Amino acid sequence: MKQKNFYIIDFDSTFTQVEALDELARISLSKHPEKDAIFQKIEDYTNLAMEGKLSFGESLAQRVKLLEATEDHLKQLIKVLKKKVSASFSRNAEFFKKHADEVLIVSGGFKEFITPVVSQYHIKKENIYANTFVTTGDGKIIDYDHSNPLSEEGGKVKLMQQMNLEGDLYGIGDGYSDFQLRESGLIKKFYAFTENISRESIVEKADHVTPSFDEFLYVNNLPRAISYPKNRILCLIIGKVDPKSIEMLKKDGFSIRHKTSFEEKYVADVHMMLLADGEKITKDQLERAVTLKTIGYLGNSKNKIDLQKCTEQGIVVFDDPKGNPHNNMFIPKRIIDFMNTGTTHLSSNFPNLQLPRIDKSHRLIHIHKNVPGIMAKINTAFAYHDINIVGQFLMTNSSIGYVITDINTEYDKQLFKFLKKIEHTIKFRVLY
């Protein structure tokens, strides 16, 4: 019988982008004359505990004492937290629905605000382990339940020892208390979650650093919303580029390198490029950039990039022939849209295709030479593998065909090998 897996997930700065008690302090102390100083003290206590420099119990006691919070403040906090769920957890909501029995939220935070947030993602209430507040009759928070093991130093270890789960346990979190589960030998692997914050003292102890939940699902071959984690997609930025453009790409989750030239070490592995006006790429570099999928050029790319070679290589180019400086944000948005949805609208060298993302489907992109009969071969591959097509969109120009196929069924990975081997295929990839 196959061993059951359990996924032990932290809440603060992991499932959500923020530390909930810090956010609660901002709400409860908003009118306090010394609020800034108190905010800082609470944040300091949080970080000291997360880095293992202060016992969790002492940190928690000090933070609760400083809060001066009420149940009404908690209601406001819940509204904030529901909007602050980490992006990679939010887009993988389907995973939690399918694996509701195996997902456990284990946190030193409090059930009063954790349960309403994670329950939206089909996580069972009986699988939520956290502290609880003690309140007065008029709703003031005055303390917490000190008998709960999660209120103590090493609380997660104590709790998991008591639970004695049978199976392989995997821990995902950003702090020292999460690493302690690995140190104790209770979990098989500890994944340091760095989408929101990266603590060097924790990262260096992790079995694997996961910049997103997509990465965790990918390395464990679990169902996920996107086929390939964005943190593994290398985006090379060359030359003097507006910091806002760089931030846009970073915010979307791509792995960014900003350089003054196209360094040799990046040629074989780069997936995306954004070039400042005046920068060049040689024909030889393009030929060897076998994983390159799109180039954004912040100006007129004529005589700077060989568009014909890009087309032959299946590289989609977006540029600004008129050299309008106001388009600095437009070009990075185009390459992001292409990577996320396959949209080639306003491309300089590809047939123009613009499509919305379709939920609960897989999107496959096939780029090929425009020769007779190739679409028949592609659709024969789908029929042979019993694939139900939701939508299929083809655009061509004189040299290439660009087809997007949305399917709503689970697929055999042999299908991909089949599609890649079709004669005259230039590039094939699964978007999500």
Side-chain angles (χ1 to χ4, degrees):
M1 188 176 174
K2 190 180 177 182
Q3 187 88 317
K4 192 171 184 178
N5 292 336
F6 290 96
Y7 308 104
I8 315 301
I9 302 174
D10 183 39
F11 182 76
D12 294 290
S13 295
T14 298
F15 199 93
T16 57
Q17 301 166 28
V18 294
E19 292 288 326
L21 286 186
D22 295 356
E23 295 301 309
L24 181 56
R26 289 185 177 87
I27 294 167
S28 65
L29 300 168
S30 61
K31 296 178 182 178
H32 197 288
E34 297 176 28
K35 62 181 180 182
D36 291 338
I38 300 173
F39 290 164
Q40 191 58 55
K41 280 184 183 179
I42 290 172
E43 285 186 7
D44 289 346
Y45 282 129
T46 299
N47 289 323
L48 287 169
M50 290 299 102
E51 293 165 8
K53 296 175 182 176
L54 182 70
S55 77
F56 182 79
E58 186 176 347
S59 167
L60 184 64
Q62 293 295 339
R63 284 181 286 164
V64 171
K65 194 185 297 182
L66 290 166
L67 281 174
E68 298 184 20
T70 67
E71 289 177 344
D72 284 339
H73 293 139
L74 279 177
K75 290 175 184 176
Q76 294 176 52
L77 173 66
I78 290 163
K79 288 180 181 178
V80 171
L81 295 179
K82 284 182 175 180
K83 296 175 182 177
K84 294 285 185 178
V85 173
S86 297
S88 63
F89 279 96
S90 182
R91 67 173 159 261
N92 285 290
E94 196 65 24
F95 170 81
F96 298 108
K97 189 175 182 179
K98 288 183 179 179
H99 295 267
D101 291 331
E102 298 112 78
V103 173
L104 279 67
I105 301 294
V106 180
S107 170
F110 289 82
K111 280 189 178 183
E112 285 86 349
F113 54 72
I114 293 175
T115 300
V117 175
V118 303
S119 293
Q120 300 176 111
Y121 292 83
H122 310 282
I123 293 170
K124 296 182 175 182
K125 290 182 180 180
E126 59 266 32
N127 285 357
I128 301 168
Y129 297 88
N131 286 298
T132 53
F133 285 119
V134 174
T135 57
T136 60
D138 58 355
K140 289 181 182 176
I141 295 170
I142 55 170
D143 204 353
Y144 57 89
D145 179 6
H146 290 257
S147 67
N148 188 325
L150 288 168
S151 70
E152 305 168 12
E153 174 60 24
K156 291 187 179 182
V157 172
K158 292 173 186 174
L159 174 73
M160 299 312 295
Q161 284 172 336
Q162 290 173 12
M163 292 178 68
N164 195 27
L165 295 171
E166 291 186 13
D168 288 334
L169 277 61
Y170 299 87
I172 308 163
D174 66 291
Y176 184 67
S177 63
D178 304 298
F179 164 69
Q180 285 178 317
L181 287 171
R182 181 69 173 94
E183 192 176 36
S184 69
L186 287 167
I187 63 175
K188 189 172 183 178
K189 283 188 178 179
F190 166 56
Y191 294 80
F193 188 80
T194 60
E195 184 171 325
N196 305 307
I197 187 167
S198 179
R199 307 180 198 277
E200 189 177 341
S201 60
I202 307 305
V203 164
E204 63 188 15
K205 295 180 174 77
D207 294 298
H208 189 91
V209 177
T210 177
S212 67
F213 192 53
D214 306 297
E215 171 74 8
F216 172 80
L217 297 174
Y218 178 78
V219 298
N220 288 290
N221 198 27
L222 292 164
R224 52 195 177 274
I226 55 177
S227 63
Y228 194 70
K230 289 185 183 180
N231 55 272
R232 289 178 174 241
I233 296 175
L234 173 61
C235 178
L236 188 61
I237 297 170
I238 297 175
K240 192 174 180 181
V241 172
D242 188 333
K244 290 180 181 177
S245 297
I246 299 172
E247 188 55 36
M248 181 187 290
L249 288 155
K250 278 184 181 176
K251 191 174 181 182
D252 212 64
F254 301 108
S255 178
I256 306 297
R257 301 288 186 279
H258 190 186
K259 300 292 177 180
T260 55
S261 64
F262 193 1
E263 296 176 18
E264 183 62 33
K265 65 180 178 180
Y266 295 116
V267 173
D269 300 316
V270 65
H271 298 88
M272 307 165 62
M273 294 183 75
L274 180 64
L275 279 71
D277 194 10
E279 299 294 335
K280 293 183 179 181
I281 303 178
T282 67
K283 192 172 181 179
D284 172 65
Q285 286 172 325
L286 285 172
E287 283 180 347
R288 292 184 293 113
V290 292
T291 64
L292 185 57
K293 294 170 177 62
T294 184
I295 297 171
Y297 196 89
L298 297 171
N300 191 336
S301 64
K302 188 177 181 181
N303 300 322
K304 308 291 194 310
I305 300 174
D306 188 326
L307 286 181
Q308 185 177 340
K309 173 53 67 175
C310 285
T311 305
E312 290 171 6
Q313 299 270 120
I315 301 165
V316 181
V317 179
F318 299 93
D319 74 346
D320 179 21
K322 294 182 181 178
N324 187 342
H326 296 296
N327 283 345
N328 278 354
M329 301 300 284
F330 170 81
I331 300 298
K333 186 177 186 306
R334 293 267 68 83
I335 62 174
I336 289 171
D337 285 349
F338 170 70
M339 292 302 291
N340 289 344
T341 67
T343 291
T344 54
H345 182 57
L346 299 180
S347 161
S348 309
N349 66 326
F350 255 60
N352 274 219
L353 192 55
Q354 188 171 19
L355 294 171
R357 183 186 176 105
I358 297 178
D359 290 335
K360 296 181 180 178
S361 69
H362 303 288
R363 177 162 289 179
L364 315 181
I365 291 180
H366 194 278
I367 302 170
H368 51 266
K369 293 179 183 177
N370 189 5
V371 295
I374 194 163
M375 277 305 299
K377 292 177 182 178
I378 290 170
N379 287 328
T380 297
F382 288 125
Y384 179 80
H385 290 88
D386 296 320
I387 299 298
N388 181 39
I389 296 175
V390 178
Q392 192 172 59
F393 309 88
L394 169 69
M395 293 292 286
T396 63
N397 62 23
S398 58
S399 58
I400 61 164
Y402 181 68
V403 62
I404 287 180
T405 307
D406 290 323
I407 62 176
N408 68 356
T409 52
E410 292 301 318
Y411 49 79
D412 183 341
K413 289 187 179 178
Q414 291 300 315
L415 168 67
F416 301 162
K417 293 180 182 178
F418 201 109
L419 290 167
K420 287 176 183 177
K421 287 181 180 178
I422 291 174
E423 190 179 3
H424 303 303
T425 295
I426 298 171
K427 270 191 172 77
F428 168 81
R429 70 182 174 117
V430 184
L431 262 185
Y432 49 79

